[in-house]
Amino acid sequence: MSAVLMGSTGGRPMPEFARPVVRSRLRLTRRGRIVLTALAALPLVVGVLVGSLSSGGAVAGIDGGATPATFETVVVGTGDSLWVIAEQIAPSEDPRDVILEIMRLNGLADAVVQPGQRLALPVVD
């Protein structure tokens, strides 16, 4: 059975090349839907990762929640070193531990001090 199209041709069938093109809506394959969903979710995932990785410093402190320490101030003299200063302020303690506390308290990267430099010293009981 053949179909006859009625239109402006006066009842005659339209030739194949003259038939109007029927446009269908966009169809996505399964892979296309996965790619589209991944691209749409990517900024959200990146934002969550950046937010969670960059907020860790605000939660954890360098002291670990310790109580604030009291300190005294001293001016480094000629020939003084952190070892000498540590032995003077805490003769009964290990000088290495006292030196580390002095360095932490003053934000020193190494144990080198200069004459005239002011140092905060922890108060040792």
Side-chain angles (χ1 to χ4, degrees):
M1 197 161 163
S2 66
V4 176
L5 296 174
M6 303 297 285
S8 62
T9 59
R12 293 184 316 245
M14 279 185 160
E16 245 345 278
F17 63 88
R19 289 190 183 164
V21 177
V22 179
R23 302 271 180 188
S24 65
R25 63 185 192 108
L26 178 67
R27 296 182 190 206
L28 287 175
T29 62
R30 182 174 184 267
R31 183 172 60 180
R33 285 190 303 269
I34 292 172
V35 169
L36 186 64
T37 304
L39 287 176
L42 185 65
L44 179 65
V45 171
V46 169
V48 168
L49 285 175
V50 167
S52 65
L53 293 177
S54 66
S55 67
V59 175
I62 194 168
D63 296 334
T67 58
T70 57
F71 58 91
E72 298 174 354
T73 305
V74 69
V75 177
V76 177
T78 306
D80 284 347
S81 66
L82 286 183
W83 190 273
V84 171
I85 295 170
E87 286 181 333
Q88 288 174 355
I89 65 168
S92 62
E93 294 188 31
D94 186 4
R96 293 172 290 194
D97 295 333
V98 178
I99 289 171
L100 286 175
E101 183 65 22
I102 293 171
M103 290 174 60
R104 187 194 65 77
L105 191 59
N106 291 284
L108 300 175
D110 54 19
V112 178
V113 290
Q114 304 298 323
Q117 184 176 355
R118 296 180 62 97
L119 293 177
L121 303 176
V123 175
V124 181
D125 297 329

